[in-house]
Amino acid sequence: MIIDALQGLSGVVAAALVGPDGLPIESQGEGGDALAAELAALRATFDRVGRRLGAGDVTRLTMTSERVEVVAVTSGQHVIGVALARGQDTRSAQQALARVAMELLPLPRVDG
């Protein structure tokens, strides 16, 4: 699985890879499917904001809540992200996600 490389990160609660249709390609951990669904929704929202502001494509999403920190990156039309226990250093997750995102670049693009 593509996201197996993320499970070794300290504090990972869930990981997900989302396709361009918003459906999870892979998910792991408690809440993995929910994370996938929310990443797809967040990406759509931030893509719209980016277009309206003329900011270009969204390449990274981050969010901090009371219990988790979510870090996600985009690769073409795909989003891959992790939810980490709050207080974890997110730098290693960001680096791992960037490496995995590079592996996703050969995935086919879905038009429409």
Side-chain angles (χ1 to χ4, degrees):
M1 292 180 90
I2 294 170
I3 61 175
D4 284 344
L6 304 174
Q7 287 300 309
L9 296 172
S10 179
V12 171
V13 176
L17 170 61
V18 182
D21 56 4
L23 297 175
I25 295 170
E26 294 179 15
S27 64
Q28 292 182 354
E30 186 175 331
D33 286 340
L35 175 63
E38 296 308 326
L39 288 176
L42 285 170
R43 175 157 189 190
T45 299
F46 282 111
D47 280 348
R48 187 173 56 250
V49 170
R51 279 192 310 275
R52 289 183 178 172
L53 294 175
D57 292 335
V58 173
T59 59
R60 184 176 59 166
L61 306 169
T62 60
M63 178 194 81
T64 301
S65 72
E66 293 177 4
R67 296 186 185 101
V68 297
E69 303 209 28
V70 176
V71 180
V73 298
T74 63
S75 180
Q77 295 178 305
H78 297 79
V79 181
I80 185 163
V82 294
L84 304 162
R86 176 78 191 264
Q88 294 293 315
D89 185 352
T90 62
R91 286 178 290 194
S92 61
Q94 290 177 38
Q95 292 169 350
L97 286 166
R99 282 191 301 273
V100 173
M102 293 301 292
E103 295 174 18
L104 295 176
L105 289 176
L107 289 178
R109 180 172 177 85
V110 177
D111 294 324

